Amino acid sequence: VYLGQFYTKRYSTNDYTTLYDSTVINGNQIAVGDVTLTVTSNAAFPNVNRSKGATNVKIAEVVLQASSADNVRITGINFNIASSSYIQNMKLMDGTTQLGSTIGSPSSSSNNFTTDLVINASESKVLSVYADVLSSATEGDSVLVSVADSGITGYGVNSTKTLSDTPSSDTPLQKVTSKTASITIAQASETPASKIVLAGQTGVELSKIKFEPSNEDLTLKKITLSLVNASSGLWESGVNQNVSKLYLYDGTTLLGSANIASGDAIISGLNLSMPQDTAKTLTVKADISGQDTINPQSVAYVQVKGTSTTDMEVYSSQGQMTSGITLTSNAAGNKMLFAVTAPVVTNALSGTTGNPSSNEEIGRFTISNPGTREMTVTSTSFVVTVISNGATSTLGTISLYESNDLGTALATSSGTSTVGTVNLTSAFTISSSNAIAAGASRTYVLKADTASIKQVTSTFTGNVKLTVKLDGTKGYSASDTTDLWNDGKVTYSYSTTGAGATTKSALTASDTAEVFGPTLTY
């Protein structure tokens, strides 16, 4: 009976080793000597400070990289710890999964964690070590965790080849130094610039405050914000009535709010986590009081009141912090002008081609009233810049009109000016009634005699250019002792009602100071 056939082959010693010291993985014969695991400190987690008494904080991180030969099953990891007496409750974590059991009292060596962790071929795994830092640790004490020489046990999943001498020597991870929890609080660089805030507005951004915790994650539970008068001499009655409510935001998330009482807004009941060594910026917003309550034309700002445990509550793992809080300049926001209204000026002239004539329109500006009370414009001034490029340029009478009545000049700047490259300032006092209702606007037109603006000479080198600008500056000014605010070039007035009714006149503040019209070319 024929049962089959077989062949024999003679192997050399080298052939024998290759045949029996190998395995087939995915159809490929792999030498199991290639099954290795690389152990390195995770560079993404540097040496770090940890607060004395901090609980369950990361103290080390290791990267385990499997070779391409085989998946690796890790059955145990052994750590050495220099200055192990400073920590307790040591844990090994794979993300949020704990590996092995917690070691309550770590020692300098033989800190073993039993695991059943598989790392696929050519892939890596980051494992983290957590522990409590004893409150008895001295400032500056350090702990250094290492993966012990040959401290990782395991084998190839397919080949069953045992890992040997992994790692081949102690592999130091990160050094953790004991420090005291602290936090620095200051004005954030992106805090709003000085600006005019109007009566009745809500959710107005007044300030941004930066919190920078060090050595530990901290929690903010309470903060007191104060509305501060920029000059008690100018506004003796104070500015507390300017704001009805303050709000504290983390991005778009409202953390809390409080009404102003005696100048302070106490925002409590917070539970804001502030990660260690990460800047957290919070935004302060406000509801502005109505025109019958506000102290008009006063300048004030928001700041953090103080760091006492009455005014602020910041918690570390040891409880409420009574020290280690640094408040820089009270994290004061920039100064704001609280007003009932202020003019908003925009250019309304289009086109860039000049048309010389005895009464040419050279500028058109719209003045809007965004406030809640009527505003009366009483005067303004413009700067006319002419670049003659060698021509003889004569600019005649300049007049100001309202756009819906171009036949009657509101004011005229008389005289004739022969100009080269020069600025010519024309001031206008508007005698007729120019009241602008709340929410309304008026447009003003500037006309000039430009018939002789371009008289060509032998030195003429190009076009004549003319630009009109409504000049002025904006924002807080410590040197302006009249009202601590820079001057625009639109003078206006308004009146308030209510118990504190008053009239404010000869005002010049505007957030749209310096507005350019187009450059006209002749």
Side-chain angles (χ1 to χ4, degrees):
V1 177
Y2 179 73
L3 297 178
Q5 59 184 350
F6 63 93
Y7 296 91
T8 62
K9 179 179 179 180
R10 180 171 181 168
Y11 289 92
S12 68
T13 301
N14 289 337
D15 289 335
Y16 181 86
T17 301
T18 301
L19 179 64
Y20 290 97
D21 195 22
S22 65
T23 189
V24 176
I25 301 176
N26 296 328
N28 298 311
Q29 184 169 296
I30 304 296
V32 292
D34 294 336
V35 178
T36 60
L37 189 72
T38 302
V39 182
T40 57
S41 173
N42 186 14
F45 179 63
N47 294 338
V48 67
N49 296 331
R50 292 302 189 204
S51 171
K52 296 180 293 181
T55 58
N56 195 34
V57 291
K58 188 190 298 183
I59 62 171
E61 206 158 64
V62 62
V63 179
L64 306 179
Q65 173 75 53
S67 67
S68 61
D70 196 356
N71 304 333
V72 178
R73 184 181 299 277
I74 298 171
T75 57
I77 304 179
N78 180 26
F79 293 97
N80 294 334
I81 305 174
S83 302
S84 60
S85 59
Y86 301 143
I87 62 172
Q88 64 183 9
N89 298 327
M90 179 179 174
K91 296 191 298 186
L92 181 62
M93 302 294 293
D94 174 15
T96 59
T97 302
Q98 183 171 349
L99 305 178
S101 301
T102 300
I103 300 175
S105 299
S107 58
S108 60
S109 61
S110 300
N111 299 288
N112 294 295
F113 293 90
T114 300
T115 68
D116 184 21
L117 178 68
V118 174
I119 303 178
N120 292 332
S122 301
E123 294 185 1
S124 63
K125 177 71 71 173
V126 177
L127 301 182
S128 303
V129 179
Y130 285 77
D132 301 339
V133 180
L134 295 176
S135 56
S136 58
T138 303
E139 183 90 3
D141 286 344
S142 61
V143 175
L144 178 63
V145 177
S146 300
V147 180
D149 180 8
S150 300
I152 298 181
T153 57
Y155 57 89
V157 172
N158 296 291
S159 66
T160 70
K161 174 68 176 181
T162 300
L163 287 173
S164 62
D165 197 18
T166 303
S168 58
S169 61
D170 276 8
T171 302
L173 303 179
Q174 293 77 12
K175 182 171 72 171
V176 174
T177 303
S178 299
K179 295 288 186 179
T180 301
S182 64
I183 186 170
T184 299
I185 306 171
Q187 182 198 86
S189 59
E190 61 268 35
T191 200
S194 293
K195 62 184 177 182
I196 301 171
V197 294
L198 300 183
Q201 291 182 322
T202 59
V204 178
E205 189 174 297
L206 296 185
S207 179
K208 286 183 179 288
I209 305 170
K210 182 173 65 175
F211 298 78
E212 293 186 282
S214 297
N215 307 324
E216 184 182 346
D217 296 349
L218 302 177
T219 301
L220 177 66
K221 294 192 175 183
K222 175 183 174 182
I223 189 169
T224 303
L225 303 173
S226 298
L227 187 64
V228 183
N229 200 335
S231 172
S232 58
L234 287 176
W235 306 285
E236 293 180 359
S237 60
V239 294
N240 296 338
Q241 67 268 34
N242 286 351
V243 171
S244 59
K245 198 168 192 176
L246 285 176
Y247 302 85
L248 189 65
Y249 281 84
D250 179 9
T252 59
T253 301
L254 176 63
L255 300 177
S257 62
N259 294 325
I260 296 285
S262 301
D264 296 337
I266 302 172
I267 302 177
S268 57
L270 305 175
N271 192 34
L272 179 67
S273 176
M274 299 182 292
Q276 173 183 340
D277 302 327
T278 303
K280 169 74 74 174
T281 298
L282 303 183
T283 302
V284 180
K285 296 184 180 182
D287 290 343
I288 312 303
S289 302
Q291 61 88 24
D292 56 348
T293 303
I294 199 172
N295 187 338
Q297 303 308 123
S298 58
V299 179
Y301 57 96
V302 170
Q303 69 175 25
V304 176
K305 184 175 183 179
T307 62
S308 71
T309 54
T310 302
D311 296 328
M312 181 182 295
E313 293 181 9
V314 179
Y315 283 77
S316 70
S317 60
Q318 299 302 291
Q320 185 175 356
M321 294 175 62
T322 58
S323 62
I325 303 176
T326 300
L327 179 60
T328 304
S329 301
N330 289 91
N334 291 319
K335 296 174 176 63
M336 306 293 174
L337 174 62
F338 293 82
V340 171
T341 191
V344 174
V345 184
T346 55
N347 169 62
L349 180 65
S350 59
T352 58
T353 301
N355 297 291
S357 70
S358 61
N359 198 31
E360 182 191 3
E361 181 176 335
I362 60 172
R364 180 179 288 255
F365 297 89
T366 297
I367 300 179
S368 302
N369 174 9
T372 57
R373 296 289 295 162
E374 181 180 84
M375 174 176 65
T376 300
V377 177
T378 55
S379 68
T380 187
S381 65
F382 299 90
V383 175
V384 182
T385 300
V386 177
I387 301 175
S388 61
N389 286 322
T392 299
S393 297
T394 301
L395 196 63
T397 300
I398 301 175
S399 301
L400 185 68
Y401 299 82
E402 191 176 358
S403 62
N404 58 6
D405 185 6
L406 297 179
T408 305
L410 297 174
T412 299
S413 175
S414 60
T416 299
S417 299
T418 300
V419 296
T421 302
V422 68
N423 293 336
L424 176 67
T425 300
S426 299
F428 300 95
T429 299
I430 303 173
S431 57
S432 59
S433 174
N434 269 262
I436 304 176
S441 64
R442 284 178 180 259
T443 297
Y444 296 92
V445 176
L446 203 63
K447 291 190 174 186
D449 182 355
T450 60
S452 300
I453 197 169
K454 184 178 179 180
Q455 300 176 61
V456 177
T457 66
S458 60
T459 59
F460 183 59
T461 58
N463 294 323
V464 174
K465 297 182 182 296
L466 181 151
T467 305
V468 177
K469 176 180 71 172
L470 196 149
D471 206 356
T473 53
K474 61 183 179 181
Y476 173 77
S477 172
S479 61
D480 187 340
T481 56
T482 301
D483 58 4
L484 300 184
W485 212 258
N486 285 307
D487 297 330
K489 294 302 180 182
V490 175
T491 305
Y492 60 98
S493 63
Y494 63 79
S495 298
T496 65
T497 59
T502 184
T503 296
K504 294 294 182 180
S505 57
L507 305 175
T508 58
S510 172
D511 277 345
T512 54
E514 193 174 50
V515 181
F516 287 87
T519 298
L520 303 179
T521 301
Y522 299 86

